[in-house]
Amino acid sequence: MTISGPWKLTFDETGDPDQTEERELAQQLVDNQVTDLVVFSHGWNNDEATATALYARWFDLLNAQVAPDRRVGFVGIRWPSQLWRDVPIPDFEPTPGAAPGAAALTPTATADAGSPTLSPQQLQDLKSLFPQGSAELDEIASLLAADPTQAGADELLAAMQRFNDAVAVNSADGEVAESGRPEMFQEGKTADEVFGAYANALIASGVDIAGAGAGGGAGVFDQIGKLWHGAKEALRGLSYWQMKNRAGVVGQRGLGPLLGRIIAKEECKTLRIHLIGHSFGARVVSFALAGLPAGDPSPVKSVTLLEGAFSRFAFMEPLPWEAAPPNGALAGQLTRVDGPLTVCFSSHDTALSLSYPLASAVAGDNAAGAADPLFRFRAIGSLGAYNSTTLFIDQVGTGYPFTNGTILNIDSSAVVMNGNPPSGAHSDIFHPELAWIVASAAKLTP
């Protein structure tokens, strides 16, 4: 058998691992004489059955690309993050309890906005992810269920600010100074500004919110109804922003040190480690580099990021604008990879190209003179790592110019292209071409 596993590693929101699973993994590595350990972190974990199926499917894709004489172990990370129930994974059954809405439809150029309210399942999911914010979430759900008014929109913004403050985790990428709140939810922002921006992003992604508002009235009521849809999308963005920050904590305080403990065992000293991350999971494995114990050469021999939901400037030193802080949060961490770091991105990922920048962006900011006002806040999974070599994805068997300690961007838009509004192709990651990139970067191919 080429690949052993997939095995399981679970971390809580502070990065503490399940100690039983850690011990079992270390023993499995020895028992199976594993030489290469592939560690994959999801960006979402709606339930154990879904996580198990996702990892099994991706590991089957990788197994098809690995040389038969290699002894490869496979582990799937679980950590507390969640895709909202109305955003399905391409080619997977919808999550039970999904509320009908834009993302629950079959692929289409446009989708109906559906209801701006939170379903009972969505509310419970959010409470499970953010128990410290349960009271604020109840208040937000109640406001979203009420008739849209300007006063209600103002109350919603204030409630979301309180929710953020109750659950905040500081773990910035470096594009702005450390802050417990995303810029869109700082003091001084208005409900019209914030919710209007998110509503416009929904429209741009292909969601139809024309005439949005209970009863389908006209004029001012339509505009307020539009804000209600923007408010729900803003809550989605805010919860994702906090999950993004949590991913850095899980990686730096949890995964990185755990890998160090495994490598420190005499029987695992020559183990070669390969990291894969999707969405926020790309941030988990990237920040794990900062949590690795010092050592040369690094045990991490390759890193592959799939639609990474964090800053495209995170690895830069210095940043390409004059502002504090001077460097990205992961500046210098490429030295912790004794092999290539590959960034697979897609222009069809509307979750990253449209929604991702809004939480961090400063309205009207002159971002280093760039024509794009959101220049500073673009995701690595949308445009690739800034100022790094970019190639187009090709067929299985292609020889890519991987270089140790260097980032290679691969524009995967020709393959990663399927998905509904508003997230687009963000979760469309199950392709042999992507598995080939991982296997060849890790030097696991025949």
Side-chain angles (χ1 to χ4, degrees):
M1 181 177 181
T2 300
I3 290 186
S4 299
W7 301 309
K8 178 180 176 182
L9 273 178
T10 304
F11 296 88
D12 67 16
E13 68 274 11
T14 65
D16 288 336
D18 183 302
Q19 295 182 1
T20 299
E21 291 176 356
E22 180 178 346
R23 289 192 298 270
E24 290 175 348
L25 173 62
Q27 189 60 50
Q28 290 283 8
L29 295 176
V30 175
D31 292 346
N32 290 276
Q33 300 179 327
V34 171
T35 60
D36 292 82
L37 178 63
V38 177
V39 181
F40 196 137
S41 177
H42 64 71
W44 22 252
N45 181 22
N46 281 27
D47 54 59
E48 181 56 31
T50 301
T52 299
L54 290 175
Y55 283 135
R57 180 176 176 183
W58 218 95
F59 294 168
D60 284 345
L61 286 173
L62 182 62
N63 195 19
Q65 313 298 342
V66 174
D69 60 339
R70 304 305 292 265
R71 305 292 301 181
V72 181
F74 221 41
V75 61
I77 301 296
R78 275 77 163 172
W79 62 283
S81 69
Q82 188 156 319
L83 193 70
W84 280 40
R85 288 175 181 261
D86 60 351
V87 182
I89 304 160
D91 300 326
F92 273 75
E93 290 299 319
T95 302
L105 305 177
T106 55
T108 180
T110 60
D112 184 79
S115 172
T117 61
L118 287 177
S119 72
Q121 295 92 345
Q122 287 172 333
L123 178 59
Q124 186 55 50
D125 288 345
L126 287 168
K127 287 183 175 183
S128 297
L129 280 171
F130 305 107
Q132 306 94 323
S134 291
E136 291 80 7
L137 286 167
D138 280 333
E139 181 182 7
I140 291 168
S142 178
L143 288 165
L144 284 172
D147 288 338
T149 65
Q150 184 63 57
D154 295 338
E155 289 181 41
L156 267 170
L157 181 62
M160 289 186 195
Q161 289 171 324
R162 291 192 293 273
F163 166 69
N164 178 85
D165 294 346
V167 304
V169 174
N170 284 340
S171 179
D173 289 343
E175 72 269 52
V176 293
E178 194 88 3
S179 173
R181 282 185 183 178
E183 185 60 35
M184 272 292 188
F185 290 89
Q186 296 286 358
E187 295 295 337
K189 300 296 182 180
T190 67
D192 285 22
E193 178 183 5
V194 176
F195 300 155
Y198 275 99
N200 288 337
L202 277 175
I203 294 169
S205 74
V207 175
D208 180 12
I209 60 175
V220 174
F221 188 77
D222 279 352
Q223 182 63 25
I224 295 297
K226 172 184 172 182
L227 291 184
W228 239 239
H229 286 273
K232 182 177 181 179
E233 194 65 16
L235 177 62
R236 188 196 309 267
L238 179 55
S239 69
Y240 285 173
W241 192 81
Q242 287 298 349
M243 282 189 275
K244 175 180 80 78
N245 289 356
R246 180 182 289 179
V249 172
V250 171
Q252 188 166 354
R253 300 180 188 173
L255 179 58
L258 182 146
L259 295 176
R261 291 192 295 274
I262 289 177
I263 289 295
K265 298 179 183 296
E266 185 62 35
E267 57 269 41
C268 296
K269 284 189 179 298
T270 61
L271 184 67
R272 303 172 75 250
I273 297 172
H274 311 284
L275 304 178
I276 314 170
H278 168 240
S279 187
F280 302 128
R283 197 170 192 265
V284 170
V285 300
S286 295
F287 275 72
L289 300 174
L292 279 175
D296 191 26
S298 170
V300 176
K301 305 303 179 182
S302 68
V303 179
T304 307
L305 310 181
L306 308 174
E307 303 307 302
F310 67 103
S311 172
R312 67 188 305 235
F313 302 102
F315 289 96
M316 290 204 71
E317 182 180 4
L319 291 167
W321 56 77
E322 293 183 6
N327 303 319
L330 295 174
Q333 295 304 321
L334 288 177
T335 62
R336 305 301 296 126
V337 186
D338 186 29
L341 189 150
T342 310
V343 176
C344 297
F345 70 95
S346 173
S347 61
H348 304 294
D349 187 336
T350 49
L352 296 183
S353 63
L354 292 173
S355 301
Y356 172 87
L358 291 181
S360 299
V362 182
D365 177 56
N366 179 5
D372 176 5
L374 299 180
F375 170 78
R376 189 186 297 186
F377 309 104
R378 294 299 182 184
I380 201 167
S382 173
L383 295 171
Y386 184 74
N387 207 28
S388 294
T389 299
T390 300
L391 301 176
F392 290 101
I393 196 169
D394 210 331
Q395 62 188 356
V396 170
T398 296
Y400 294 98
F402 298 116
T403 305
N404 282 19
T406 301
I407 296 177
L408 175 65
N409 292 324
I410 298 182
D411 185 338
S412 306
S413 304
V415 172
V416 180
M417 58 189 302
N418 297 312
N420 299 321
S423 296
H426 184 62
S427 296
D428 184 26
I429 60 170
F430 300 94
H431 299 283
E433 295 88 345
L434 296 176
W436 169 259
I437 289 170
V438 170
S440 54
K443 299 181 179 179
L444 295 174
T445 55

